[in-house]
Amino acid sequence: MEPLIGRTIVERVQSVLSKIRSAEERAGRPGGSVRLVAVTKTVAVDHIKEGLRAGLTILGENRVQEALPKKAALTEHPACWHFIGHLQRRKVRSVIGLFDVIHSVDSVDLAQEIDRRAGEADHHQSVLLEINIGNEPTKAGFHPEDVVRSVSAMAELPHLSVKGLMTIPPQTDDPQSARPYFQKLKELAQQIAALKIPSVSMDDLSMGMSNDYEVAIEEGATLVRVGTALFGARHV
Ligand SMILES: *Cc1c(COP(=O)(O)O)cnc(C)c1O
């Protein structure tokens, strides 16, 4: 990855946004078809403000207990908030209504709890289904073979809408090695879309992080989740 030392957040935001535009062009995709989710876990509120001033519009957090106070501290700064981390059932109630999209629904059970709590709050929650695309034993997410069956069950939940898929591919240093996994996620989304299940859309593909977001865009990402390339390395 490019060196980050000595560059300001504004410069990094501009650089990532311009790389997103170039990757869209290379892929023959319309400008603006990819949205940047700035991953702000462990990032101080002042740095997030700097990022927002530089043009960030969507913030992604992965821990409830960190996200809630930050969101409260940034109420004067309009942004969309996405939840991208593992969500425990017992925390669902505290996130309903606070995040435009939850990227990380990894079981039917969790979807049912979100639906129930959203119903109580008179809210409708958009979600993505997290897919364990590499079938890794330690990773959360639906196995690709199971999700087609599970999605029909989730389609019936009245207070939740499935809008697409999300994945974190097996980790390597070479961004190209993620490409087949991104292709596989895209194919899975197409397969689900072809079922034309009412209230299920496959419009969004959340894939690609700091070291491989350009590859993900070439393979059809509509949401890229980028932290380090914007805010520098995390020390925790
Ligand atoms: C931390 C995180 C990211 C961002 O990772 P970087 O490599 O810092 O860009 C993306 N997605 C999820 C789910 C994360 O937890």
Side-chain angles (χ1 to χ4, degrees):
M1 215 187 307
E2 67 198 285
L4 297 163
I5 293 117
R7 300 176 70 209
T8 65
I9 290 173
V10 175
E11 286 167 334
R12 293 177 203 160
V13 170
Q14 286 166 348
S15 156
V16 170
L17 288 173
S18 88
K19 285 179 181 175
I20 289 174
R21 300 289 94 92
S22 315
E24 282 173 336
E25 254 177 57
R26 274 201 304 283
R29 301 179 56 191
S33 44
V34 179
R35 284 166 296 149
L36 171 61
V37 179
V39 177
T40 49
K41 62 186 182 204
T42 80
V43 176
V45 166
D46 283 344
H47 289 169
I48 301 175
K49 285 182 187 167
E50 209 177 322
L52 290 168
R53 281 195 297 272
L56 298 177
T57 57
I58 308 176
L59 306 179
E61 283 282 338
N62 72 333
R63 286 168 70 227
V64 176
Q65 64 272 36
E66 183 183 344
L68 302 190
K70 271 189 192 165
K71 196 167 187 289
L74 286 160
T75 44
E76 316 265 284
H77 301 258
C80 288
W81 290 72
H82 288 196
F83 192 80
I84 62 170
H86 180 67
L87 182 57
Q88 291 168 285
R89 264 184 72 97
R90 63 186 174 84
K91 300 258 173 85
V92 167
R93 198 154 63 105
S94 57
V95 304
I96 293 297
L98 296 181
F99 295 91
D100 300 276
V101 184
I102 297 174
H103 288 225
S104 43
V105 170
D106 56 7
S107 70
V108 175
D109 197 47
L110 179 63
Q112 285 167 338
E113 178 66 5
I114 292 171
D115 177 66
R116 186 166 79 91
R117 296 301 188 178
E120 284 173 3
D122 204 14
H123 185 75
H124 192 91
Q125 182 67 57
S126 295
V127 305
L128 307 180
L129 306 181
E130 180 169 356
I131 310 295
N132 182 354
I133 202 72
N135 278 315
E136 293 172 273
T138 55
K139 208 171 252 182
F142 290 95
H143 287 274
E145 312 76 61
D146 299 340
V147 69
V148 175
R149 189 174 53 231
S150 304
V151 83
S152 316
M154 289 182 278
E156 297 181 357
L157 302 172
H159 307 289
L160 167 151
S161 293
V162 175
K163 304 277 194 192
L165 305 180
M166 177 271 225
T167 202
I168 307 169
Q171 202 178 346
T172 61
D173 290 335
D174 175 14
Q176 294 302 335
S177 67
R179 190 182 296 277
Y181 295 106
F182 295 147
Q183 290 169 339
K184 199 171 162 201
L185 194 74
K186 169 93 182 177
E187 281 161 22
L188 191 58
Q190 285 168 336
Q191 201 184 324
I192 296 169
L195 301 174
K196 300 199 187 308
I197 304 169
S199 89
V200 170
S201 91
M202 284 289 128
D203 293 343
D204 275 320
L205 281 183
S206 168
M207 57 188 194
M209 318 206 301
S210 288
N211 67 341
D212 56 16
Y213 67 92
E214 293 166 277
V215 175
I217 291 168
E218 290 164 9
E219 299 304 335
T222 66
L223 291 163
V224 290
R225 309 177 310 269
V226 178
T228 310
L230 296 168
F231 297 108
R234 290 178 291 270
H235 301 291
V236 274

